[in-house]
């Protein structure tokens, strides 16, 4: 399992035990955003941990946002539809 996927899964697992009003922020690398598996990785981490998507903040760098890439935009939109927050 790639390190970024493991870190996301562990962060969600830990945060699921926290009070419901506390969110967890996970910094995603540009490499993760270019991965075709990002949407599946986020969905899987949320499902396995039981963490509601509204409690997950995905942090991305400006460099990712500056990439005019349909895959990056699609990944952002898919994560936002579940209720995850995107911070840049």
């Amino acid at each position: 399992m790639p390190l970024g996927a493991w870190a996301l899964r562990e962060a969600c697992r830990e945060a699921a035990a926290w009070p419901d009003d506390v969110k967890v922020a996970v910094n995603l690398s540009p490499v993760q955003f270019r991965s075709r598996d990002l949407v599946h990785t986020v969905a899987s981490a949320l499902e396995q941990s039981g963490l509601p998507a509204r409690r997950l903040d995905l942090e991305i760098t400006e460099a990712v946002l500056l990439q005019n890439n349909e895959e990056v935009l699609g990944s952002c939109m898919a994560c936002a539809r579940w209720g995850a927050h995107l911070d840049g």
Side-chain angles (χ1 to χ4, degrees):
M1 170 180 299
L3 180 60
W6 176 85
L8 175 64
R9 189 171 69 176
E10 287 299 304
C12 289
R13 186 182 63 77
E14 287 286 328
W18 301 347
D20 285 341
D21 61 335
V22 178
K23 293 182 178 185
V24 62
V26 178
N27 191 358
L28 299 177
S29 73
V31 172
Q32 285 176 280
F33 258 92
R34 286 192 300 270
S35 167
R36 295 180 187 269
D37 294 334
L38 177 63
V39 173
H40 173 73
T41 300
V42 172
S44 178
L46 291 170
E47 183 179 327
Q48 289 176 7
S49 67
L51 183 73
R54 65 178 170 74
R55 293 184 50 208
L56 176 61
D57 284 343
L58 299 173
E59 297 185 347
I60 56 179
T61 64
E62 290 81 6
V64 171
L65 294 175
L66 292 175
Q67 295 176 5
N68 190 11
N69 184 317
E70 289 184 24
E71 286 182 43
V72 170
L73 181 59
S75 294
C76 289
M77 291 173 57
C79 292
R81 279 194 299 272
W82 297 326
H85 298 269
L86 295 168
D87 294 324

